[in-house]
Amino acid sequence: MTVAANAVLRGTVGEMKNPYKIYLSSVTCMNLVKLDAALKKIVVPEGSKANYMLILAGKIYDHTSMEYMHTSRIEPSTAGNTCVLVGIEHFRGLSDHALAYRVSQVPGNLAAFA
Amino acid sequence: MVFWGSRRNTSFTYPANLFEHGIVFPHFAEAFSRPDLYWAFLLTIITLVLIDGTESLATIQAIDKIDPFKRKSDPNVTLRAMGVSNTASSLLGGLTIIPGGMKSTTNMLVGGRTLWANFYYACFQLIFLLFATTLINQIPKAAWQGCSYGSDGNCARTKSSSGSSRWARNRCLSPWSMSCDVMDLGPVGRHDRGHGDEDCLAREGCRTSVPRWVGAALKELFGNPVIRIGDGRGLVM
């Protein structure tokens, strides 16, 4: 599946009001289920829109997790929610694919700013 | 069946050196020199093609129904891939290759969502075949059968949409089909004897030799990735 890069980054941080700030360490296919379970605990009142801010503070995000973040239930297609990925510029994709495996380029632990 | 299997070998025996004893090329010259076997060959080939094709299509139909992203497999691509893979495998003396319901179900249960799961599966399978045949030889056939039966039952439950009777029928037929074409049963636990001390020593060796950062990396890879929700002033996880 080919996805444009701007399809992953929806909206901008500046236009969000009271977002759910979700700080993430490394996400791979091996702990994606736990992320999904944690996100399902967020209860958004019916009829209201939610803003999600996924802050990437880990070292790696594999293709599976990138695709999950792209097509997960917090996508704005369902209830007009908005979602942005913060910190993705610190990661280097291992291919030209928009949802490719990404490795942190920043030495040390990005969780420091989380 | 378990008692019947208890008198037989209870686990598969993979050769220690895969490249020395594990690869056996087919004897095409001998096969073509026996015209009396041509008809049997043809019947066998047609039977395997029909079985593999039917099972492949049934598998992708079942897997499509449990796909979290609701993607649809292309039957033409599946059959083409099956044909190419089986031809290549047969020329090298291998077995038939078809889409696996057990592998796909397991991948989905543990979080696999994309084609990378296939790649990881192939890599791990190769690693185990090359470096961990001792571990494979310790797995009883009953355990293999149990895994196959469980996943096949899940597929059967997914395939059935018209009530419990159809599910029960599929559930009853699945071990029969699996035992016919995959393996026979054996008791669990025979190979557990005598390996306890070695296992303890191996675990202790791993515990002392593995650097601490490996443990931290594994914890990060397998642990809950959510550091917290909120900026520290509201909800904290």
mmCIF file of all heavy atoms in Angstrom, chain A residues 10 43-52 72-83:
data_model
loop_
_atom_site.group_PDB
_atom_site.id
_atom_site.type_symbol
_atom_site.label_atom_id
_atom_site.label_comp_id
_atom_site.label_asym_id
_atom_site.label_seq_id
_atom_site.Cartn_x
_atom_site.Cartn_y
_atom_site.Cartn_z
ATOM 1 N N ARG A 10 -1.562 14.342 10.189
ATOM 2 C CA ARG A 10 -2.815 15.066 9.994
ATOM 3 C C ARG A 10 -2.841 16.275 10.912
ATOM 4 O O ARG A 10 -2.607 16.171 12.101
ATOM 5 C CB ARG A 10 -4.004 14.159 10.288
ATOM 6 C CG ARG A 10 -4.141 13.035 9.290
ATOM 7 C CD ARG A 10 -5.351 12.198 9.618
ATOM 8 N NE ARG A 10 -5.470 11.102 8.691
ATOM 9 C CZ ARG A 10 -6.070 11.193 7.514
ATOM 10 N NH1 ARG A 10 -6.598 12.327 7.132
ATOM 11 N NH2 ARG A 10 -6.136 10.149 6.714
ATOM 12 N N VAL A 43 -11.780 7.180 26.886
ATOM 13 C CA VAL A 43 -13.213 7.295 26.609
ATOM 14 C C VAL A 43 -13.501 8.721 26.158
ATOM 15 O O VAL A 43 -13.273 9.689 26.887
ATOM 16 C CB VAL A 43 -14.041 6.959 27.862
ATOM 17 C CG1 VAL A 43 -15.527 7.125 27.567
ATOM 18 C CG2 VAL A 43 -13.732 5.547 28.318
ATOM 19 N N VAL A 44 -13.960 8.814 24.927
ATOM 20 C CA VAL A 44 -14.318 10.116 24.377
ATOM 21 C C VAL A 44 -15.837 10.241 24.415
ATOM 22 O O VAL A 44 -16.541 9.352 23.913
ATOM 23 C CB VAL A 44 -13.807 10.259 22.930
ATOM 24 C CG1 VAL A 44 -14.205 11.607 22.355
ATOM 25 C CG2 VAL A 44 -12.305 10.079 22.887
ATOM 26 N N PRO A 45 -16.369 11.292 25.014
ATOM 27 C CA PRO A 45 -17.834 11.446 25.068
ATOM 28 C C PRO A 45 -18.430 11.481 23.671
ATOM 29 O O PRO A 45 -17.831 12.033 22.740
ATOM 30 C CB PRO A 45 -18.012 12.786 25.781
ATOM 31 C CG PRO A 45 -16.740 12.994 26.540
ATOM 32 C CD PRO A 45 -15.659 12.356 25.728
ATOM 33 N N GLU A 46 -19.579 10.852 23.527
ATOM 34 C CA GLU A 46 -20.229 10.796 22.220
ATOM 35 C C GLU A 46 -20.607 12.195 21.754
ATOM 36 O O GLU A 46 -21.059 13.036 22.540
ATOM 37 C CB GLU A 46 -21.472 9.918 22.299
ATOM 38 C CG GLU A 46 -21.158 8.443 22.478
ATOM 39 C CD GLU A 46 -22.413 7.595 22.364
ATOM 40 O OE1 GLU A 46 -23.464 8.153 21.993
ATOM 41 O OE2 GLU A 46 -22.335 6.388 22.647
ATOM 42 N N GLY A 47 -20.419 12.413 20.474
ATOM 43 C CA GLY A 47 -20.758 13.699 19.900
ATOM 44 C C GLY A 47 -19.664 14.737 20.006
ATOM 45 O O GLY A 47 -19.775 15.817 19.430
ATOM 46 N N SER A 48 -18.601 14.411 20.738
ATOM 47 C CA SER A 48 -17.514 15.377 20.860
ATOM 48 C C SER A 48 -16.304 14.894 20.067
ATOM 49 O O SER A 48 -16.135 13.698 19.848
ATOM 50 C CB SER A 48 -17.129 15.558 22.327
ATOM 51 O OG SER A 48 -16.676 14.324 22.854
ATOM 52 N N LYS A 49 -15.510 15.819 19.650
ATOM 53 C CA LYS A 49 -14.321 15.502 18.880
ATOM 54 C C LYS A 49 -13.118 15.477 19.807
ATOM 55 O O LYS A 49 -13.044 16.232 20.759
ATOM 56 C CB LYS A 49 -14.117 16.535 17.776
ATOM 57 C CG LYS A 49 -15.260 16.582 16.771
ATOM 58 C CD LYS A 49 -15.022 17.661 15.750
ATOM 59 C CE LYS A 49 -16.182 17.727 14.758
ATOM 60 N NZ LYS A 49 -15.997 18.817 13.763
ATOM 61 N N ALA A 50 -12.225 14.581 19.490
ATOM 62 C CA ALA A 50 -11.028 14.437 20.320
ATOM 63 C C ALA A 50 -9.790 14.731 19.486
ATOM 64 O O ALA A 50 -9.756 14.450 18.280
ATOM 65 C CB ALA A 50 -10.949 13.040 20.901
ATOM 66 N N ASN A 51 -8.810 15.289 20.131
ATOM 67 C CA ASN A 51 -7.541 15.566 19.475
ATOM 68 C C ASN A 51 -6.467 14.709 20.138
ATOM 69 O O ASN A 51 -6.301 14.750 21.351
ATOM 70 C CB ASN A 51 -7.184 17.051 19.603
ATOM 71 C CG ASN A 51 -8.245 17.928 18.981
ATOM 72 O OD1 ASN A 51 -8.765 17.621 17.918
ATOM 73 N ND2 ASN A 51 -8.588 19.020 19.653
ATOM 74 N N TYR A 52 -5.782 13.948 19.320
ATOM 75 C CA TYR A 52 -4.740 13.065 19.837
ATOM 76 C C TYR A 52 -3.382 13.566 19.367
ATOM 77 O O TYR A 52 -3.207 13.936 18.203
ATOM 78 C CB TYR A 52 -4.939 11.634 19.350
ATOM 79 C CG TYR A 52 -6.233 11.008 19.810
ATOM 80 C CD1 TYR A 52 -7.350 11.017 18.992
ATOM 81 C CD2 TYR A 52 -6.328 10.407 21.055
ATOM 82 C CE1 TYR A 52 -8.539 10.443 19.404
ATOM 83 C CE2 TYR A 52 -7.512 9.835 21.477
ATOM 84 C CZ TYR A 52 -8.607 9.854 20.652
ATOM 85 O OH TYR A 52 -9.782 9.287 21.070
ATOM 86 N N SER A 72 -5.442 3.452 12.692
ATOM 87 C CA SER A 72 -6.041 3.057 13.962
ATOM 88 C C SER A 72 -7.378 3.753 14.169
ATOM 89 O O SER A 72 -7.796 4.601 13.389
ATOM 90 C CB SER A 72 -5.095 3.392 15.113
ATOM 91 O OG SER A 72 -4.967 4.798 15.206
ATOM 92 N N ARG A 73 -7.996 3.398 15.257
ATOM 93 C CA ARG A 73 -9.339 3.909 15.506
ATOM 94 C C ARG A 73 -9.339 5.390 15.840
ATOM 95 O O ARG A 73 -10.388 6.022 15.871
ATOM 96 C CB ARG A 73 -9.960 3.137 16.659
ATOM 97 C CG ARG A 73 -9.300 3.404 17.994
ATOM 98 C CD ARG A 73 -9.883 2.525 19.056
ATOM 99 N NE ARG A 73 -9.341 2.868 20.359
ATOM 100 C CZ ARG A 73 -9.876 3.776 21.155
ATOM 101 N NH1 ARG A 73 -10.957 4.403 20.783
ATOM 102 N NH2 ARG A 73 -9.346 4.058 22.316
ATOM 103 N N ILE A 74 -8.171 5.969 16.130
ATOM 104 C CA ILE A 74 -8.153 7.391 16.440
ATOM 105 C C ILE A 74 -8.039 8.233 15.193
ATOM 106 O O ILE A 74 -7.872 9.440 15.266
ATOM 107 C CB ILE A 74 -7.003 7.728 17.401
ATOM 108 C CG1 ILE A 74 -5.665 7.382 16.759
ATOM 109 C CG2 ILE A 74 -7.165 7.008 18.709
ATOM 110 C CD1 ILE A 74 -4.501 7.768 17.636
ATOM 111 N N GLU A 75 -8.135 7.556 14.040
ATOM 112 C CA GLU A 75 -8.122 8.316 12.792
ATOM 113 C C GLU A 75 -9.331 9.238 12.737
ATOM 114 O O GLU A 75 -10.388 8.918 13.278
ATOM 115 C CB GLU A 75 -8.146 7.360 11.603
ATOM 116 C CG GLU A 75 -6.775 6.859 11.230
ATOM 117 C CD GLU A 75 -5.927 7.956 10.645
ATOM 118 O OE1 GLU A 75 -6.249 8.432 9.552
ATOM 119 O OE2 GLU A 75 -4.946 8.373 11.285
ATOM 120 N N PRO A 76 -9.223 10.364 12.086
ATOM 121 C CA PRO A 76 -10.320 11.331 12.100
ATOM 122 C C PRO A 76 -11.518 10.924 11.248
ATOM 123 O O PRO A 76 -12.525 11.617 11.252
ATOM 124 C CB PRO A 76 -9.667 12.597 11.539
ATOM 125 C CG PRO A 76 -8.544 12.100 10.727
ATOM 126 C CD PRO A 76 -8.053 10.866 11.385
ATOM 127 N N SER A 77 -11.417 9.813 10.541
ATOM 128 C CA SER A 77 -12.502 9.452 9.640
ATOM 129 C C SER A 77 -13.780 9.076 10.399
ATOM 130 O O SER A 77 -14.872 9.168 9.872
ATOM 131 C CB SER A 77 -12.076 8.274 8.758
ATOM 132 O OG SER A 77 -11.706 7.188 9.566
ATOM 133 N N THR A 78 -13.653 8.658 11.647
ATOM 134 C CA THR A 78 -14.832 8.155 12.348
ATOM 135 C C THR A 78 -15.664 9.279 12.945
ATOM 136 O O THR A 78 -16.856 9.362 12.724
ATOM 137 C CB THR A 78 -14.404 7.183 13.455
ATOM 138 O OG1 THR A 78 -13.456 7.850 14.298
ATOM 139 C CG2 THR A 78 -13.779 5.948 12.872
ATOM 140 N N ALA A 79 -15.039 10.133 13.714
ATOM 141 C CA ALA A 79 -15.835 11.130 14.439
ATOM 142 C C ALA A 79 -15.256 12.528 14.323
ATOM 143 O O ALA A 79 -15.488 13.366 15.179
ATOM 144 C CB ALA A 79 -15.930 10.734 15.904
ATOM 145 N N GLY A 80 -14.489 12.757 13.286
ATOM 146 C CA GLY A 80 -13.898 14.072 13.130
ATOM 147 C C GLY A 80 -12.743 14.331 14.075
ATOM 148 O O GLY A 80 -12.372 15.490 14.305
ATOM 149 N N ASN A 81 -12.181 13.269 14.622
ATOM 150 C CA ASN A 81 -11.031 13.450 15.510
ATOM 151 C C ASN A 81 -9.818 13.884 14.703
ATOM 152 O O ASN A 81 -9.732 13.644 13.497
ATOM 153 C CB ASN A 81 -10.722 12.154 16.249
ATOM 154 C CG ASN A 81 -11.890 11.681 17.080
ATOM 155 O OD1 ASN A 81 -12.706 12.484 17.513
ATOM 156 N ND2 ASN A 81 -11.979 10.389 17.269
ATOM 157 N N THR A 82 -8.879 14.475 15.366
ATOM 158 C CA THR A 82 -7.614 14.822 14.723
ATOM 159 C C THR A 82 -6.492 14.117 15.465
ATOM 160 O O THR A 82 -6.590 13.834 16.665
ATOM 161 C CB THR A 82 -7.370 16.336 14.733
ATOM 162 O OG1 THR A 82 -7.369 16.786 16.089
ATOM 163 C CG2 THR A 82 -8.432 17.064 13.938
ATOM 164 N N CYS A 83 -5.459 13.837 14.731
ATOM 165 C CA CYS A 83 -4.339 13.107 15.308
ATOM 166 C C CYS A 83 -3.047 13.573 14.646
ATOM 167 O O CYS A 83 -2.988 13.678 13.417
ATOM 168 C CB CYS A 83 -4.518 11.609 15.100
ATOM 169 S SG CYS A 83 -3.158 10.607 15.702
#
